[in-house]
């Protein structure tokens, strides 16, 4: 995979976004194994920790599942659109659980502030 980094966001986020794009386009399909962290790091010319962080992000967002000592596998089905969670549904669920809009916005601000410290 060739990737030119824009510098507009963290490198790990750019890597994660590119993988998500490939997954949504069907270039990488449901059930396929992603390159190992080390292989991807060498191919992209980045630190393995950067790739590990990108893979972790993909897992958090429901695009891949990491299996210990096996690797990361795509868990997003392009045909059904299943795998990656529907963010609007998650927000509605939080609202229905009684979480206020202000509380949610505060959480978002906290998460983005954490990213600024890295």
């Amino acid at each position: 995979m060739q990737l030119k980094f824009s510098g507009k966001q963290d490198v790990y986020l750019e890597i994660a976004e590119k993988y998500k794009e490939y997954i949504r386009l069907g270039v990488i399909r449901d059930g396929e194994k992603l390159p190992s962290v080390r292989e991807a790091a060498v191919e992209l010319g980045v630190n393995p920790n950067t790739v590990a962080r990108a893979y972790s992000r993909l897992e958090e967002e429901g695009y891949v599942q990491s299996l210990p000592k096996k690797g990361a596998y795509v868990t997003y089905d392009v045909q059904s659109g299943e795998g990656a969670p529907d963010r609007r549904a998650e927000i509605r669920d939080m609202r229905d659980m009684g979480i206020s809009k202000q509380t949610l916005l505060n959480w978002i601000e906290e998460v983005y502030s954490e990213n600024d410290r890295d």
Side-chain angles (χ1 to χ4, degrees):
M1 169 171 82
Q2 288 293 325
L3 183 59
K4 291 185 180 183
F5 301 110
S6 69
K8 294 180 182 176
Q9 60 183 349
D10 290 335
V11 172
Y12 83 94
L13 292 173
E14 290 192 51
I15 294 168
E17 287 301 318
K18 185 52 81 173
Y19 272 111
K20 286 192 287 189
E21 180 183 338
Y22 286 163
I23 291 167
R24 286 190 300 261
L25 292 173
V27 175
I28 305 172
R29 297 189 175 154
D30 185 37
E32 281 189 49
K33 183 178 186 283
L34 295 183
S36 74
V37 168
R38 286 196 173 123
E39 290 170 343
V42 168
E43 187 176 329
L44 296 169
V46 298
N47 186 300
N49 291 332
T50 303
V51 175
R53 200 166 173 194
Y55 282 14
S56 178
R57 178 72 169 231
L58 291 169
E59 187 168 22
E60 288 171 11
E61 294 182 9
Y63 283 87
V64 303
Q65 180 179 10
S66 294
L67 303 174
K69 298 185 181 185
K70 301 277 186 196
Y73 291 83
V74 175
T75 57
Y76 181 81
D77 183 7
V78 174
Q79 301 294 21
S80 68
E82 293 179 5
D86 177 356
R87 298 290 176 224
R88 289 182 183 165
E90 289 179 342
I91 293 169
R92 283 187 202 100
D93 289 345
M94 285 186 263
R95 178 197 62 202
D96 295 344
M97 291 185 317
I99 298 170
S100 73
K101 179 180 176 181
Q102 189 57 52
T103 298
L104 184 56
L105 292 171
N106 289 342
W107 291 346
I108 292 168
E109 187 61 39
E110 286 175 26
V111 169
Y112 277 85
S113 295
E114 289 171 6
N115 196 24
D116 292 341
R117 286 181 274 188
D118 291 345

